[in-house]
Amino acid sequence: EDSTHHVEPIAAGAQSHVRLVQVLARERIHLRVADVGRIRNDQVVDCVAQWLERVAQVQLQARTDAMTLHGAGRDFERAEARKESRRIGDMLALVAERVPVQRRVVHAGDMVYRCGDAFTQLFLLNTGYCKIVNSAADGRAQVVGLQFRGDWLGFDGIAGGRYRCDAVALDTGEVWAMRYDALLAACAAHPPLMALLHGEMSRVISRDRDSLMALTTLSADARVAEFLRLMADALAQRGLRTDQITLRMTRAEIGNYLGMTLESVSRALSR
């Protein structure tokens, strides 16, 4: 590549080309002592040796850069998780300070509220997990959301005056219940609380859109992988361990949530 007349004698005959490959296949430290007479031009060996050295340096730098970027990415993710954890803690502290709350301990399977109940309260998860289940008139049920510490429940009942879904606890936890009229009065008296409430409503809308995007564009395996990633992110943002994830839902419930069959979920998890 550097000089045409250096390359042509090597490429002129198939035998010479084979010999060149054989010599270059040896350890690099032996290139200088190779029988250059077989190649006819020791300058070709020098040129190739220098080129291989540059390639090795570039590859080493690329690996170093990749490791640096990966470490920086992990540091960024941890910083974002700590930031979100602080936001959730600050929100819970503000609500507890400004709004009269009724604390209730729930266990797996307990109903936080039922579809069709009159809307009078909003709920805030202090600990634990909940699933939101939408029920149709013909008896079909669909898991439409998962809620973690710091998530609000019951927004669906504001417009029609009745809850449109069931909220079911998946684990032992604590739920804060607050009357909606008392919450509005507290928001009027303290505008930052109103901004907080609007921000939480916006997060619910964004999360629902992201879930719809995943269901309509990802393959079955990718949906399960995205579900596990979101679970890990949610746990990290709440200061919980993410190296081991305990799934509080059955595989049938996961399939119902992701729009997949039980068999498809099982195959994806087994991989």
Side-chain angles (χ1 to χ4, degrees):
E1 182 176 346
D2 293 337
S3 178
T4 304
H5 71 277
H6 286 167
V7 177
E8 284 178 349
I10 304 303
Q15 186 63 27
S16 297
H17 179 68
V18 172
R19 289 174 182 172
L20 175 64
V21 172
Q22 291 173 347
V23 171
L24 295 182
R26 300 175 184 175
E27 295 293 334
R28 190 175 304 158
I29 60 175
H30 298 309
L31 284 175
R32 296 288 185 175
V33 298
D35 184 6
V36 297
R38 299 173 61 188
I39 304 177
R40 300 180 184 176
N41 195 333
D42 58 345
Q43 294 181 1
V44 175
V45 177
D46 291 338
C47 178
V48 174
Q50 294 171 9
W51 179 79
L52 289 175
E53 188 67 31
R54 290 199 299 270
V55 169
Q57 292 173 356
V58 171
Q59 290 176 337
L60 177 60
Q61 185 62 45
R63 287 194 295 269
T64 302
D65 292 344
M67 293 176 64
T68 301
L69 289 174
H70 178 72
R74 294 296 299 170
D75 291 342
F76 176 78
E77 290 175 358
R78 285 191 289 265
E80 287 296 303
R82 288 193 296 268
K83 179 180 177 182
E84 181 65 11
S85 181
R86 287 193 299 270
R87 184 196 68 80
I88 293 172
D90 293 343
M91 177 190 65
L92 291 169
L94 179 60
V95 171
E97 177 186 352
R98 294 286 177 171
V99 186
V101 298
Q102 209 172 22
R103 300 171 187 262
R104 174 189 168 194
V105 176
V106 294
H107 303 281
D110 288 351
M111 287 282 189
V112 178
Y113 59 81
R114 295 179 183 274
C115 178
D117 288 350
F119 170 78
T120 58
Q121 297 175 312
L122 285 178
F123 302 88
L124 181 59
L125 270 179
N126 184 36
T127 58
Y129 314 90
C130 283
K131 64 178 178 180
I132 306 300
V133 183
N134 195 11
S135 300
D138 59 3
R140 289 177 293 113
Q142 175 71 44
V143 179
V144 295
L146 298 175
Q147 309 297 324
F148 301 89
R149 179 176 185 263
D151 287 339
W152 291 71
L153 297 83
F155 286 143
D156 58 295
I158 295 177
R162 293 188 179 277
Y163 299 110
R164 303 293 300 274
C165 302
D166 296 328
V168 186
L170 292 173
D171 193 14
T172 300
E174 184 182 71
V175 178
W176 294 358
M178 61 203 81
R179 291 190 57 82
Y180 186 56
D181 52 1
L183 177 60
L184 291 181
C187 289
H190 190 65
L193 184 60
M194 177 65 78
L196 181 150
L197 188 62
H198 287 164
E200 293 306 314
M201 292 178 176
S202 177
R203 283 188 177 85
V204 171
I205 295 172
S206 297
R207 191 176 354 181
D208 288 346
R209 288 178 177 174
D210 291 343
S211 297
L212 182 61
M213 174 71 77
L215 286 175
T216 55
T217 61
L218 295 180
S219 65
D221 286 354
R223 278 184 239 171
V224 175
E226 180 69 4
F227 168 75
L228 295 175
R229 185 190 69 81
L230 292 175
M231 285 282 293
D233 287 348
L235 294 175
Q237 291 167 1
R238 286 148 181 88
L240 303 175
R241 64 182 299 177
T242 58
D243 57 334
Q244 293 182 354
I245 300 176
T246 301
L247 298 177
R248 305 295 179 180
M249 304 168 64
T250 65
R251 296 190 178 192
E253 289 175 322
I254 294 174
N256 181 273
Y257 178 54
L258 299 177
M260 298 168 56
T261 63
L262 170 63
E263 293 75 16
S264 296
V265 173
S266 298
R267 282 195 299 270
L269 291 176
S270 66
R271 296 191 181 98

